[in-house]
Amino acid sequence: MEIVSEGKARIMTENAFYNPKMKRLRDISVALLKATMKPRFTVLDATAATGIRGIRYLLEADAGKAVFLEINSSAYATLLNNINLNGIEAKAEAKNASIQEFANTSKERFDAIDLDPFGTPAPYIFDLLKLAKDNTLFMVTATDTATLCGAEAHACLRLYAAKPIHGKLCHEASIRILLAFLARIAAQFNFGIEPLLSLAELHYVRVFVKLKKGAQKAVESVKEIGLASLCRKCHSYYLAKLFSSEKIAYTCSFCGSGTEAFGPLWLGSINNKQVLSKVASLLEDKTAASISAIASEPDVPFFYSLDEISSYLGIGSVPLDKVISELKERGISASKTVFCSNCIKADAKIGAIIDAVKKVNGSVIHKV
Ligand SMILES: C[S@@+](CC[C@H](N)C(=O)[O-])C[C@H]1O[C@@H](n2cnc3c(N)ncnc32)[C@H](O)[C@@H]1O
Ligand SMILES: [Zn+2]
Protein backbone atom coordinates (compact mmCIF):
# COMPACT_ATOMS: atom_id res chain seq x y z
CA MET A 1 0.00 0.00 0.00
CA GLU A 2 1.35 3.42 -0.97
CA ILE A 3 2.39 5.74 1.82
CA VAL A 4 2.53 9.49 1.19
CA SER A 5 4.77 11.83 3.20
CA GLU A 6 3.72 15.39 3.94
CA GLY A 7 5.49 17.51 6.56
CA LYS A 8 6.26 15.11 9.43
CA ALA A 9 3.22 12.96 8.66
CA ARG A 10 3.06 9.70 6.74
CA ILE A 11 -0.38 8.71 5.51
CA MET A 12 -2.27 6.18 3.46
CA THR A 13 -4.84 7.73 1.15
CA GLU A 14 -6.91 4.67 0.15
CA ASN A 15 -10.68 5.43 0.21
CA ALA A 16 -10.10 8.91 1.64
CA PHE A 17 -9.87 12.26 -0.12
CA TYR A 18 -6.36 13.69 -0.29
CA ASN A 19 -5.21 16.52 -2.56
CA PRO A 20 -1.40 16.94 -2.57
CA LYS A 21 -1.82 20.40 -4.13
CA MET A 22 -3.33 21.67 -0.89
CA LYS A 23 -0.05 20.97 0.95
CA ARG A 24 0.87 24.65 0.71
CA LEU A 25 -2.34 25.63 2.52
CA ARG A 26 -1.74 22.96 5.15
CA ASP A 27 1.84 24.24 5.62
CA ILE A 28 0.39 27.73 6.18
CA SER A 29 -2.13 26.32 8.68
CA VAL A 30 0.64 24.56 10.61
CA ALA A 31 2.71 27.77 10.67
CA LEU A 32 -0.27 29.85 11.79
CA LEU A 33 -0.98 27.45 14.65
CA LYS A 34 2.70 27.52 15.68
CA ALA A 35 2.66 31.31 15.56
CA THR A 36 -0.53 31.86 17.55
CA MET A 37 -1.40 28.91 19.81
CA LYS A 38 -0.15 27.97 23.26
CA PRO A 39 1.57 24.56 23.46
CA ARG A 40 -0.69 21.53 24.02
CA PHE A 41 -3.77 23.24 22.56
CA THR A 42 -6.76 21.11 21.58
CA VAL A 43 -7.90 20.95 17.97
CA LEU A 44 -10.92 19.59 16.13
CA ASP A 45 -10.25 18.31 12.61
CA ALA A 46 -13.94 18.43 11.70
CA THR A 47 -13.69 17.02 8.17
CA ALA A 48 -10.71 14.73 8.57
CA ALA A 49 -10.60 12.39 5.52
CA THR A 50 -7.03 10.93 5.84
CA GLY A 51 -6.54 13.03 8.99
CA ILE A 52 -3.57 14.82 7.46
CA ARG A 53 -4.41 18.14 9.13
CA GLY A 54 -4.93 16.93 12.68
CA ILE A 55 -1.94 14.58 12.38
CA ARG A 56 0.33 17.41 11.23
CA TYR A 57 -1.00 19.71 13.97
CA LEU A 58 -0.03 17.06 16.56
CA LEU A 59 3.37 16.31 15.02
CA GLU A 60 4.42 19.81 13.95
CA ALA A 61 2.43 22.49 15.77
CA ASP A 62 2.64 21.14 19.34
CA ALA A 63 -1.09 20.38 19.66
CA GLY A 64 -1.82 18.38 22.81
CA LYS A 65 -4.93 16.62 21.58
CA ALA A 66 -6.76 16.25 18.28
CA VAL A 67 -10.33 15.05 17.77
CA PHE A 68 -11.02 13.86 14.22
CA LEU A 69 -14.53 13.65 12.71
CA GLU A 70 -15.20 11.70 9.53
CA ILE A 71 -18.70 10.85 8.36
CA ASN A 72 -17.66 8.33 5.70
CA SER A 73 -16.94 4.83 7.06
CA SER A 74 -14.29 3.87 4.48
CA ALA A 75 -12.43 7.15 4.95
CA TYR A 76 -12.75 6.65 8.71
CA ALA A 77 -10.99 3.25 8.46
CA THR A 78 -8.10 4.96 6.62
CA LEU A 79 -8.04 7.71 9.26
CA LEU A 80 -7.69 5.11 12.05
CA ASN A 81 -4.80 3.45 10.19
CA ASN A 82 -3.09 6.80 9.75
CA ILE A 83 -3.37 7.63 13.45
CA ASN A 84 -1.60 4.32 14.23
CA LEU A 85 0.94 4.78 11.45
CA ASN A 86 2.05 8.08 13.00
CA GLY A 87 2.17 6.78 16.57
CA ILE A 88 -0.20 9.47 17.88
CA GLU A 89 -2.88 7.20 19.43
CA ALA A 90 -2.41 8.75 22.89
CA LYS A 91 -3.27 12.25 21.66
CA ALA A 92 -5.85 11.39 19.01
CA GLU A 93 -9.54 10.61 19.24
CA ALA A 94 -11.34 9.67 16.03
CA LYS A 95 -15.07 9.48 15.55
CA ASN A 96 -17.06 8.05 12.66
CA ALA A 97 -19.61 10.82 13.13
CA SER A 98 -20.93 13.91 11.40
CA ILE A 99 -20.18 17.45 12.54
CA GLN A 100 -23.87 17.89 13.32
CA GLU A 101 -24.06 14.77 15.49
CA PHE A 102 -20.86 15.55 17.39
CA ALA A 103 -21.62 19.26 17.90
CA ASN A 104 -25.03 18.52 19.35
CA THR A 105 -23.84 15.88 21.82
CA SER A 106 -20.28 16.85 22.85
CA LYS A 107 -19.50 19.03 25.85
CA GLU A 108 -15.95 19.67 24.63
CA ARG A 109 -14.80 23.15 23.64
CA PHE A 110 -11.74 23.40 21.39
CA ASP A 111 -8.85 25.86 21.19
CA ALA A 112 -8.80 25.44 17.41
CA ILE A 113 -11.31 24.13 14.87
CA ASP A 114 -10.47 23.25 11.27
CA LEU A 115 -13.30 22.99 8.74
CA ASP A 116 -12.28 21.80 5.28
CA PRO A 117 -15.38 20.37 3.56
CA PHE A 118 -16.15 19.56 -0.05
CA GLY A 119 -17.56 22.80 -1.50
CA THR A 120 -19.30 25.24 0.80
CA PRO A 121 -18.59 25.45 4.55
CA ALA A 122 -21.85 27.38 5.12
CA PRO A 123 -24.04 24.52 6.48
CA TYR A 124 -21.46 23.55 9.15
CA ILE A 125 -20.62 26.90 10.70
CA PHE A 126 -23.60 27.08 13.06
CA ASP A 127 -22.94 23.65 14.59
CA LEU A 128 -19.19 24.14 14.89
CA LEU A 129 -19.65 27.38 16.81
CA LYS A 130 -21.25 25.30 19.57
CA LEU A 131 -17.79 23.76 20.10
CA ALA A 132 -15.98 27.11 20.40
CA LYS A 133 -14.92 29.22 23.38
CA ASP A 134 -13.24 32.59 23.93
CA ASN A 135 -10.15 32.81 21.68
CA THR A 136 -10.89 29.69 19.65
CA LEU A 137 -9.06 29.82 16.33
CA PHE A 138 -11.57 28.98 13.60
CA MET A 139 -10.03 27.91 10.28
CA VAL A 140 -12.46 27.63 7.40
CA THR A 141 -11.95 26.55 3.79
CA ALA A 142 -14.45 27.17 1.00
CA THR A 143 -13.95 25.54 -2.39
CA ASP A 144 -17.25 26.75 -3.85
CA THR A 145 -15.42 29.59 -5.58
CA ALA A 146 -17.81 29.64 -8.57
CA THR A 147 -20.53 30.49 -6.05
CA LEU A 148 -18.53 33.08 -4.11
CA CYS A 149 -17.03 34.63 -7.25
CA GLY A 150 -20.31 35.28 -8.97
CA ALA A 151 -20.59 32.51 -11.59
CA GLU A 152 -23.43 31.00 -9.54
CA ALA A 153 -24.97 34.10 -8.01
CA HIS A 154 -28.17 32.38 -6.87
CA ALA A 155 -26.20 29.78 -4.92
CA CYS A 156 -24.35 32.63 -3.21
CA LEU A 157 -27.65 34.24 -2.25
CA ARG A 158 -28.96 30.97 -0.84
CA LEU A 159 -25.82 29.89 1.01
CA TYR A 160 -24.36 33.19 2.19
CA ALA A 161 -27.32 35.60 1.77
CA ALA A 162 -24.94 37.73 -0.27
CA LYS A 163 -24.71 39.07 -3.80
CA PRO A 164 -21.29 38.29 -5.29
CA ILE A 165 -19.44 40.37 -7.90
CA HIS A 166 -18.00 39.11 -11.19
CA GLY A 167 -14.62 40.29 -12.40
CA LYS A 168 -11.32 41.31 -10.83
CA LEU A 169 -12.71 42.08 -7.37
CA CYS A 170 -14.27 38.64 -6.98
CA HIS A 171 -11.51 36.88 -5.02
CA GLU A 172 -11.23 39.53 -2.35
CA ALA A 173 -15.03 39.86 -2.34
CA SER A 174 -15.37 36.11 -1.76
CA ILE A 175 -13.21 36.38 1.39
CA ARG A 176 -15.31 39.29 2.59
CA ILE A 177 -18.60 37.50 1.86
CA LEU A 178 -17.43 34.47 3.83
CA LEU A 179 -16.21 36.62 6.75
CA ALA A 180 -19.47 38.58 6.88
CA PHE A 181 -21.38 35.30 6.94
CA LEU A 182 -19.13 34.00 9.76
CA ALA A 183 -19.54 37.23 11.73
CA ARG A 184 -23.34 37.07 11.50
CA ILE A 185 -23.56 33.46 12.68
CA ALA A 186 -20.84 33.92 15.32
CA ALA A 187 -22.77 36.89 16.74
CA GLN A 188 -25.70 34.58 17.50
CA PHE A 189 -23.35 32.73 19.86
CA ASN A 190 -22.03 35.99 21.37
CA PHE A 191 -18.74 35.80 19.50
CA GLY A 192 -17.02 38.57 17.61
CA ILE A 193 -14.54 37.61 14.91
CA GLU A 194 -10.96 38.85 14.47
CA PRO A 195 -9.50 37.79 11.12
CA LEU A 196 -5.82 36.81 11.33
CA LEU A 197 -5.16 35.67 7.77
CA SER A 198 -7.34 35.42 4.66
CA LEU A 199 -6.38 33.76 1.40
CA ALA A 200 -8.21 33.41 -1.89
CA GLU A 201 -6.95 31.76 -5.03
CA LEU A 202 -8.61 30.22 -8.04
CA HIS A 203 -9.96 27.12 -6.31
CA TYR A 204 -10.33 28.03 -2.69
CA VAL A 205 -10.88 30.62 -0.01
CA ARG A 206 -9.36 30.02 3.41
CA VAL A 207 -9.88 32.27 6.43
CA PHE A 208 -8.37 32.08 9.92
CA VAL A 209 -10.33 33.99 12.56
CA LYS A 210 -10.09 34.29 16.33
CA LEU A 211 -13.45 34.10 18.09
CA LYS A 212 -13.83 36.67 20.86
CA LYS A 213 -16.53 35.98 23.46
CA GLY A 214 -18.94 38.70 24.56
CA ALA A 215 -22.12 40.41 23.36
CA GLN A 216 -20.20 43.66 22.84
CA LYS A 217 -17.54 41.90 20.74
CA ALA A 218 -20.33 40.36 18.66
CA VAL A 219 -21.98 43.74 18.06
CA GLU A 220 -18.65 45.40 17.20
CA SER A 221 -17.90 42.72 14.67
CA VAL A 222 -21.33 42.80 13.01
CA LYS A 223 -20.83 46.56 12.62
CA GLU A 224 -17.90 45.78 10.30
CA ILE A 225 -20.38 44.38 7.77
CA GLY A 226 -21.42 46.54 4.86
CA LEU A 227 -22.11 46.83 1.15
CA ALA A 228 -19.89 47.80 -1.76
CA SER A 229 -20.72 49.11 -5.20
CA LEU A 230 -18.67 49.11 -8.37
CA CYS A 231 -18.78 51.48 -11.30
CA ARG A 232 -18.10 49.36 -14.38
CA LYS A 233 -17.32 52.48 -16.44
CA CYS A 234 -14.50 54.27 -14.58
CA HIS A 235 -13.84 51.36 -12.17
CA SER A 236 -14.34 53.31 -9.02
CA TYR A 237 -15.81 51.47 -6.05
CA TYR A 238 -17.72 52.60 -2.97
CA LEU A 239 -18.18 51.15 0.52
CA ALA A 240 -20.74 51.67 3.27
CA LYS A 241 -21.09 49.89 6.59
CA LEU A 242 -24.70 48.79 7.13
CA PHE A 243 -25.11 49.85 10.74
CA SER A 244 -23.73 53.35 10.32
CA SER A 245 -24.84 56.60 8.70
CA GLU A 246 -22.88 55.73 5.54
CA LYS A 247 -24.96 55.23 2.39
CA ILE A 248 -23.97 53.04 -0.50
CA ALA A 249 -23.43 54.97 -3.78
CA TYR A 250 -25.75 53.77 -6.50
CA THR A 251 -24.44 56.50 -8.79
CA CYS A 252 -20.70 56.92 -9.33
CA SER A 253 -19.66 60.29 -7.92
CA PHE A 254 -16.68 60.36 -10.30
CA CYS A 255 -18.24 59.65 -13.71
CA GLY A 256 -21.98 59.71 -13.00
CA SER A 257 -22.72 56.15 -14.19
CA GLY A 258 -24.95 53.71 -12.29
CA THR A 259 -23.07 51.29 -10.03
CA GLU A 260 -23.48 47.59 -9.25
CA ALA A 261 -23.97 46.89 -5.54
CA PHE A 262 -22.71 43.67 -3.91
CA GLY A 263 -22.41 42.14 -0.46
CA PRO A 264 -22.98 42.10 2.47
CA LEU A 265 -19.23 41.97 3.01
CA TRP A 266 -16.83 42.15 5.91
CA LEU A 267 -15.32 45.64 5.52
CA GLY A 268 -12.89 45.41 8.46
CA SER A 269 -9.31 44.09 8.30
CA ILE A 270 -8.97 40.63 6.82
CA ASN A 271 -5.39 40.12 8.05
CA ASN A 272 -3.38 40.81 11.16
CA LYS A 273 0.06 42.06 10.06
CA GLN A 274 1.87 40.96 13.24
CA VAL A 275 0.55 37.44 12.82
CA LEU A 276 1.49 37.46 9.13
CA SER A 277 5.12 38.31 9.83
CA LYS A 278 5.37 35.51 12.43
CA VAL A 279 3.73 33.05 10.04
CA ALA A 280 6.08 34.08 7.19
CA SER A 281 9.12 33.52 9.43
CA LEU A 282 8.03 29.89 9.92
CA LEU A 283 7.56 29.03 6.25
CA GLU A 284 9.91 28.09 3.43
CA ASP A 285 10.93 30.85 1.02
CA LYS A 286 8.25 30.86 -1.69
CA THR A 287 5.27 30.47 0.63
CA ALA A 288 6.81 32.95 3.10
CA ALA A 289 7.15 35.49 0.29
CA SER A 290 3.46 35.16 -0.58
CA ILE A 291 2.49 35.82 3.05
CA SER A 292 4.91 38.78 3.33
CA ALA A 293 3.41 40.21 0.13
CA ILE A 294 -0.02 40.28 1.84
CA ALA A 295 1.52 42.03 4.84
CA SER A 296 2.97 44.78 2.65
CA GLU A 297 -0.42 45.85 1.26
CA PRO A 298 -2.38 48.82 2.66
CA ASP A 299 -5.15 47.57 4.93
CA VAL A 300 -8.11 48.76 2.83
CA PRO A 301 -10.86 46.88 1.01
CA PHE A 302 -10.40 46.29 -2.72
CA PHE A 303 -8.14 47.79 -5.37
CA TYR A 304 -7.96 49.43 -8.79
CA SER A 305 -7.21 47.62 -12.05
CA LEU A 306 -4.68 49.51 -14.12
CA ASP A 307 -5.85 47.79 -17.33
CA GLU A 308 -9.45 48.83 -16.72
CA ILE A 309 -8.51 52.40 -15.81
CA SER A 310 -6.24 52.69 -18.89
CA SER A 311 -9.04 51.47 -21.11
CA TYR A 312 -11.48 53.97 -19.49
CA LEU A 313 -8.97 56.74 -20.18
CA GLY A 314 -8.34 55.45 -23.70
CA ILE A 315 -4.59 55.19 -23.16
CA GLY A 316 -2.07 52.37 -23.59
CA SER A 317 -0.68 50.39 -20.70
CA VAL A 318 1.25 52.29 -18.05
CA PRO A 319 3.87 50.69 -15.79
CA LEU A 320 2.37 49.56 -12.50
CA ASP A 321 5.49 50.31 -10.44
CA LYS A 322 5.63 53.88 -11.73
CA VAL A 323 2.01 54.56 -10.79
CA ILE A 324 2.62 53.12 -7.33
CA SER A 325 5.72 55.34 -6.89
CA GLU A 326 3.76 58.36 -8.10
CA LEU A 327 1.01 57.67 -5.55
CA LYS A 328 3.59 57.25 -2.77
CA GLU A 329 5.23 60.54 -3.74
CA ARG A 330 1.83 62.13 -3.19
CA GLY A 331 1.75 60.66 0.32
CA ILE A 332 -0.73 57.89 -0.55
CA SER A 333 -0.10 54.41 0.78
CA ALA A 334 -0.18 52.08 -2.25
CA SER A 335 1.12 48.68 -3.35
CA LYS A 336 0.57 45.76 -5.70
CA THR A 337 -2.01 43.26 -4.52
CA VAL A 338 -1.96 39.48 -4.26
CA PHE A 339 -5.54 39.44 -5.60
CA CYS A 340 -4.83 40.73 -9.10
CA SER A 341 -1.71 40.94 -11.25
CA ASN A 342 -1.87 44.46 -12.71
CA CYS A 343 -3.81 46.13 -9.91
CA ILE A 344 -3.11 48.66 -7.17
CA LYS A 345 -4.31 48.62 -3.60
CA ALA A 346 -4.32 52.18 -2.35
CA ASP A 347 -5.80 54.21 0.43
CA ALA A 348 -7.26 56.64 -2.11
CA LYS A 349 -10.29 57.43 -4.24
CA ILE A 350 -10.42 56.93 -7.99
CA GLY A 351 -9.65 60.61 -8.73
CA ALA A 352 -6.21 60.36 -7.09
CA ILE A 353 -5.46 57.10 -8.94
CA ILE A 354 -6.46 58.60 -12.29
CA ASP A 355 -4.34 61.70 -11.66
CA ALA A 356 -1.32 59.49 -10.96
CA VAL A 357 -2.00 57.30 -14.04
CA LYS A 358 -2.28 60.42 -16.24
CA LYS A 359 0.93 61.86 -14.83
CA VAL A 360 2.84 58.61 -15.47
CA ASN A 361 1.27 58.26 -18.91
CA GLY A 362 2.25 61.84 -19.76
CA SER A 363 5.84 61.32 -18.70
CA VAL A 364 6.06 57.99 -20.56
CA ILE A 365 4.73 59.62 -23.76
CA HIS A 366 7.00 62.62 -23.23
CA LYS A 367 10.09 60.42 -23.13
CA VAL A 368 9.22 58.52 -26.35
C1 LIG B 1 -12.31 17.89 1.46
S1 LIG B 1 -12.30 16.46 2.47
C2 LIG B 1 -11.17 16.85 3.77
C3 LIG B 1 -9.75 16.89 3.31
C4 LIG B 1 -8.74 16.98 4.41
N1 LIG B 1 -9.06 17.97 5.42
C5 LIG B 1 -7.36 17.27 3.81
O1 LIG B 1 -6.77 18.35 4.09
O2 LIG B 1 -6.88 16.42 3.03
C6 LIG B 1 -13.85 16.54 3.32
C7 LIG B 1 -14.13 15.29 4.19
O3 LIG B 1 -15.23 15.63 5.05
C8 LIG B 1 -16.07 14.50 5.18
N2 LIG B 1 -17.41 14.99 5.55
C9 LIG B 1 -18.40 15.43 4.73
N3 LIG B 1 -19.47 15.84 5.42
C10 LIG B 1 -19.17 15.68 6.75
C11 LIG B 1 -19.86 15.95 7.96
N4 LIG B 1 -21.09 16.45 7.94
N5 LIG B 1 -19.24 15.66 9.12
C12 LIG B 1 -17.96 15.16 9.13
N6 LIG B 1 -17.26 14.87 8.01
C13 LIG B 1 -17.85 15.13 6.82
C14 LIG B 1 -16.00 13.81 3.82
O4 LIG B 1 -16.35 12.46 3.91
C15 LIG B 1 -14.52 14.06 3.43
O5 LIG B 1 -13.73 12.99 3.81
ZN1 LIG C 1 -17.63 55.78 -12.50
Side-chain angles (χ1 to χ4, degrees), residues 35-54:
T36 61
M37 302 302 290
K38 294 202 179 90
R40 291 177 296 285
F41 66 93
T42 59
V43 60
L44 177 69
D45 185 350
T47 36
T50 61
I52 183 67
R53 286 170 190 264

PDB file of all heavy atoms in Angstrom, residues 35-54:
ATOM      1  N   ALA A  35       2.455  29.882  15.268  1.00  0.00           N
ATOM      2  CA  ALA A  35       2.657  31.310  15.561  1.00  0.00           C
ATOM      3  C   ALA A  35       1.673  31.842  16.597  1.00  0.00           C
ATOM      4  O   ALA A  35       1.977  32.813  17.281  1.00  0.00           O
ATOM      5  CB  ALA A  35       2.526  32.121  14.265  1.00  0.00           C
ATOM      6  N   THR A  36       0.508  31.222  16.733  1.00  0.00           N
ATOM      7  CA  THR A  36      -0.531  31.864  17.551  1.00  0.00           C
ATOM      8  C   THR A  36      -1.044  31.034  18.734  1.00  0.00           C
ATOM      9  O   THR A  36      -1.707  31.600  19.602  1.00  0.00           O
ATOM     10  CB  THR A  36      -1.768  32.229  16.688  1.00  0.00           C
ATOM     11  OG1 THR A  36      -2.310  31.027  16.130  1.00  0.00           O
ATOM     12  CG2 THR A  36      -1.415  33.188  15.553  1.00  0.00           C
ATOM     13  N   MET A  37      -0.776  29.734  18.762  1.00  0.00           N
ATOM     14  CA  MET A  37      -1.397  28.915  19.811  1.00  0.00           C
ATOM     15  C   MET A  37      -0.421  28.593  20.935  1.00  0.00           C
ATOM     16  O   MET A  37       0.786  28.491  20.711  1.00  0.00           O
ATOM     17  CB  MET A  37      -1.917  27.587  19.214  1.00  0.00           C
ATOM     18  CG  MET A  37      -2.911  27.735  18.087  1.00  0.00           C
ATOM     19  SD  MET A  37      -4.401  28.658  18.504  1.00  0.00           S
ATOM     20  CE  MET A  37      -5.206  27.516  19.615  1.00  0.00           C
ATOM     21  N   LYS A  38      -0.982  28.403  22.132  1.00  0.00           N
ATOM     22  CA  LYS A  38      -0.146  27.967  23.259  1.00  0.00           C
ATOM     23  C   LYS A  38       0.117  26.467  23.104  1.00  0.00           C
ATOM     24  O   LYS A  38      -0.743  25.742  22.590  1.00  0.00           O
ATOM     25  CB  LYS A  38      -0.888  28.206  24.576  1.00  0.00           C
ATOM     26  CG  LYS A  38      -1.119  29.675  24.873  1.00  0.00           C
ATOM     27  CD  LYS A  38      -1.352  29.874  26.378  1.00  0.00           C
ATOM     28  CE  LYS A  38      -1.557  31.330  26.700  1.00  0.00           C
ATOM     29  NZ  LYS A  38      -2.981  31.729  26.640  1.00  0.00           N
ATOM     30  N   PRO A  39       1.289  25.993  23.562  1.00  0.00           N
ATOM     31  CA  PRO A  39       1.572  24.556  23.462  1.00  0.00           C
ATOM     32  C   PRO A  39       0.465  23.709  24.093  1.00  0.00           C
ATOM     33  O   PRO A  39      -0.192  24.155  25.035  1.00  0.00           O
ATOM     34  CB  PRO A  39       2.876  24.393  24.249  1.00  0.00           C
ATOM     35  CG  PRO A  39       3.486  25.756  24.252  1.00  0.00           C
ATOM     36  CD  PRO A  39       2.370  26.750  24.186  1.00  0.00           C
ATOM     37  N   ARG A  40       0.290  22.531  23.538  1.00  0.00           N
ATOM     38  CA  ARG A  40      -0.692  21.535  24.022  1.00  0.00           C
ATOM     39  C   ARG A  40      -2.149  21.981  23.847  1.00  0.00           C
ATOM     40  O   ARG A  40      -3.029  21.582  24.586  1.00  0.00           O
ATOM     41  CB  ARG A  40      -0.422  21.127  25.480  1.00  0.00           C
ATOM     42  CG  ARG A  40       0.863  20.308  25.613  1.00  0.00           C
ATOM     43  CD  ARG A  40       1.199  19.958  27.039  1.00  0.00           C
ATOM     44  NE  ARG A  40       1.480  21.123  27.862  1.00  0.00           N
ATOM     45  CZ  ARG A  40       2.613  21.824  27.789  1.00  0.00           C
ATOM     46  NH1 ARG A  40       3.540  21.512  26.905  1.00  0.00           N
ATOM     47  NH2 ARG A  40       2.793  22.868  28.565  1.00  0.00           N
ATOM     48  N   PHE A  41      -2.385  22.828  22.848  1.00  0.00           N
ATOM     49  CA  PHE A  41      -3.768  23.235  22.561  1.00  0.00           C
ATOM     50  C   PHE A  41      -4.567  22.048  22.026  1.00  0.00           C
ATOM     51  O   PHE A  41      -3.995  21.063  21.549  1.00  0.00           O
ATOM     52  CB  PHE A  41      -3.781  24.412  21.576  1.00  0.00           C
ATOM     53  CG  PHE A  41      -3.258  24.075  20.202  1.00  0.00           C
ATOM     54  CD1 PHE A  41      -4.117  23.664  19.186  1.00  0.00           C
ATOM     55  CD2 PHE A  41      -1.897  24.173  19.914  1.00  0.00           C
ATOM     56  CE1 PHE A  41      -3.641  23.346  17.928  1.00  0.00           C
ATOM     57  CE2 PHE A  41      -1.403  23.861  18.653  1.00  0.00           C
ATOM     58  CZ  PHE A  41      -2.278  23.445  17.661  1.00  0.00           C
ATOM     59  N   THR A  42      -5.893  22.171  22.114  1.00  0.00           N
ATOM     60  CA  THR A  42      -6.763  21.113  21.584  1.00  0.00           C
ATOM     61  C   THR A  42      -7.321  21.556  20.230  1.00  0.00           C
ATOM     62  O   THR A  42      -7.613  22.735  20.031  1.00  0.00           O
ATOM     63  CB  THR A  42      -7.954  20.849  22.529  1.00  0.00           C
ATOM     64  OG1 THR A  42      -8.701  22.071  22.680  1.00  0.00           O
ATOM     65  CG2 THR A  42      -7.488  20.375  23.889  1.00  0.00           C
ATOM     66  N   VAL A  43      -7.429  20.592  19.323  1.00  0.00           N
ATOM     67  CA  VAL A  43      -7.898  20.951  17.974  1.00  0.00           C
ATOM     68  C   VAL A  43      -8.925  19.930  17.487  1.00  0.00           C
ATOM     69  O   VAL A  43      -8.814  18.740  17.756  1.00  0.00           O
ATOM     70  CB  VAL A  43      -6.703  21.086  16.992  1.00  0.00           C
ATOM     71  CG1 VAL A  43      -5.912  19.797  16.853  1.00  0.00           C
ATOM     72  CG2 VAL A  43      -7.169  21.566  15.605  1.00  0.00           C
ATOM     73  N   LEU A  44      -9.922  20.451  16.772  1.00  0.00           N
ATOM     74  CA  LEU A  44     -10.919  19.591  16.128  1.00  0.00           C
ATOM     75  C   LEU A  44     -10.674  19.610  14.627  1.00  0.00           C
ATOM     76  O   LEU A  44     -10.743  20.673  14.002  1.00  0.00           O
ATOM     77  CB  LEU A  44     -12.340  20.114  16.421  1.00  0.00           C
ATOM     78  CG  LEU A  44     -13.470  19.336  15.729  1.00  0.00           C
ATOM     79  CD1 LEU A  44     -13.603  17.927  16.328  1.00  0.00           C
ATOM     80  CD2 LEU A  44     -14.805  20.075  15.841  1.00  0.00           C
ATOM     81  N   ASP A  45     -10.355  18.448  14.068  1.00  0.00           N
ATOM     82  CA  ASP A  45     -10.255  18.309  12.611  1.00  0.00           C
ATOM     83  C   ASP A  45     -11.630  17.799  12.176  1.00  0.00           C
ATOM     84  O   ASP A  45     -11.910  16.607  12.198  1.00  0.00           O
ATOM     85  CB  ASP A  45      -9.129  17.316  12.268  1.00  0.00           C
ATOM     86  CG  ASP A  45      -8.880  17.218  10.771  1.00  0.00           C
ATOM     87  OD1 ASP A  45      -9.690  17.757   9.995  1.00  0.00           O
ATOM     88  OD2 ASP A  45      -7.879  16.583  10.380  1.00  0.00           O
ATOM     89  N   ALA A  46     -12.504  18.739  11.815  1.00  0.00           N
ATOM     90  CA  ALA A  46     -13.938  18.432  11.698  1.00  0.00           C
ATOM     91  C   ALA A  46     -14.303  17.653  10.440  1.00  0.00           C
ATOM     92  O   ALA A  46     -15.359  17.020  10.388  1.00  0.00           O
ATOM     93  CB  ALA A  46     -14.742  19.733  11.754  1.00  0.00           C
ATOM     94  N   THR A  47     -13.443  17.737   9.434  1.00  0.00           N
ATOM     95  CA  THR A  47     -13.693  17.022   8.172  1.00  0.00           C
ATOM     96  C   THR A  47     -12.379  16.321   7.817  1.00  0.00           C
ATOM     97  O   THR A  47     -11.646  16.745   6.927  1.00  0.00           O
ATOM     98  CB  THR A  47     -14.097  18.024   7.065  1.00  0.00           C
ATOM     99  OG1 THR A  47     -13.340  19.240   7.254  1.00  0.00           O
ATOM    100  CG2 THR A  47     -15.565  18.369   7.089  1.00  0.00           C
ATOM    101  N   ALA A  48     -12.088  15.226   8.508  1.00  0.00           N
ATOM    102  CA  ALA A  48     -10.712  14.732   8.572  1.00  0.00           C
ATOM    103  C   ALA A  48     -10.212  14.038   7.309  1.00  0.00           C
ATOM    104  O   ALA A  48      -9.055  14.156   6.965  1.00  0.00           O
ATOM    105  CB  ALA A  48     -10.587  13.792   9.770  1.00  0.00           C
ATOM    106  N   ALA A  49     -11.055  13.248   6.632  1.00  0.00           N
ATOM    107  CA  ALA A  49     -10.603  12.390   5.520  1.00  0.00           C
ATOM    108  C   ALA A  49      -9.407  11.550   5.988  1.00  0.00           C
ATOM    109  O   ALA A  49      -9.547  10.777   6.930  1.00  0.00           O
ATOM    110  CB  ALA A  49     -10.320  13.205   4.268  1.00  0.00           C
ATOM    111  N   THR A  50      -8.197  11.719   5.391  1.00  0.00           N
ATOM    112  CA  THR A  50      -7.029  10.933   5.843  1.00  0.00           C
ATOM    113  C   THR A  50      -6.577  11.330   7.246  1.00  0.00           C
ATOM    114  O   THR A  50      -5.777  10.625   7.866  1.00  0.00           O
ATOM    115  CB  THR A  50      -5.823  11.179   4.918  1.00  0.00           C
ATOM    116  OG1 THR A  50      -5.498  12.577   4.980  1.00  0.00           O
ATOM    117  CG2 THR A  50      -6.114  10.782   3.472  1.00  0.00           C
ATOM    118  N   GLY A  51      -6.994  12.508   7.697  1.00  0.00           N
ATOM    119  CA  GLY A  51      -6.538  13.026   8.994  1.00  0.00           C
ATOM    120  C   GLY A  51      -5.276  13.864   8.887  1.00  0.00           C
ATOM    121  O   GLY A  51      -4.696  14.276   9.904  1.00  0.00           O
ATOM    122  N   ILE A  52      -4.857  14.140   7.660  1.00  0.00           N
ATOM    123  CA  ILE A  52      -3.567  14.817   7.459  1.00  0.00           C
ATOM    124  C   ILE A  52      -3.433  16.113   8.272  1.00  0.00           C
ATOM    125  O   ILE A  52      -2.361  16.404   8.800  1.00  0.00           O
ATOM    126  CB  ILE A  52      -3.310  15.081   5.936  1.00  0.00           C
ATOM    127  CG1 ILE A  52      -1.948  15.704   5.691  1.00  0.00           C
ATOM    128  CG2 ILE A  52      -4.378  15.963   5.311  1.00  0.00           C
ATOM    129  CD1 ILE A  52      -0.785  14.813   6.004  1.00  0.00           C
ATOM    130  N   ARG A  53      -4.529  16.866   8.393  1.00  0.00           N
ATOM    131  CA  ARG A  53      -4.413  18.142   9.128  1.00  0.00           C
ATOM    132  C   ARG A  53      -4.158  17.901  10.608  1.00  0.00           C
ATOM    133  O   ARG A  53      -3.169  18.357  11.163  1.00  0.00           O
ATOM    134  CB  ARG A  53      -5.675  18.981   8.943  1.00  0.00           C
ATOM    135  CG  ARG A  53      -5.739  19.583   7.579  1.00  0.00           C
ATOM    136  CD  ARG A  53      -7.061  20.228   7.255  1.00  0.00           C
ATOM    137  NE  ARG A  53      -7.032  20.548   5.840  1.00  0.00           N
ATOM    138  CZ  ARG A  53      -6.698  21.741   5.351  1.00  0.00           C
ATOM    139  NH1 ARG A  53      -6.435  22.744   6.151  1.00  0.00           N
ATOM    140  NH2 ARG A  53      -6.652  21.934   4.055  1.00  0.00           N
ATOM    141  N   GLY A  54      -5.069  17.170  11.241  1.00  0.00           N
ATOM    142  CA  GLY A  54      -4.927  16.927  12.677  1.00  0.00           C
ATOM    143  C   GLY A  54      -3.606  16.232  13.002  1.00  0.00           C
ATOM    144  O   GLY A  54      -2.954  16.549  13.998  1.00  0.00           O
TER     145      GLY A  54
END
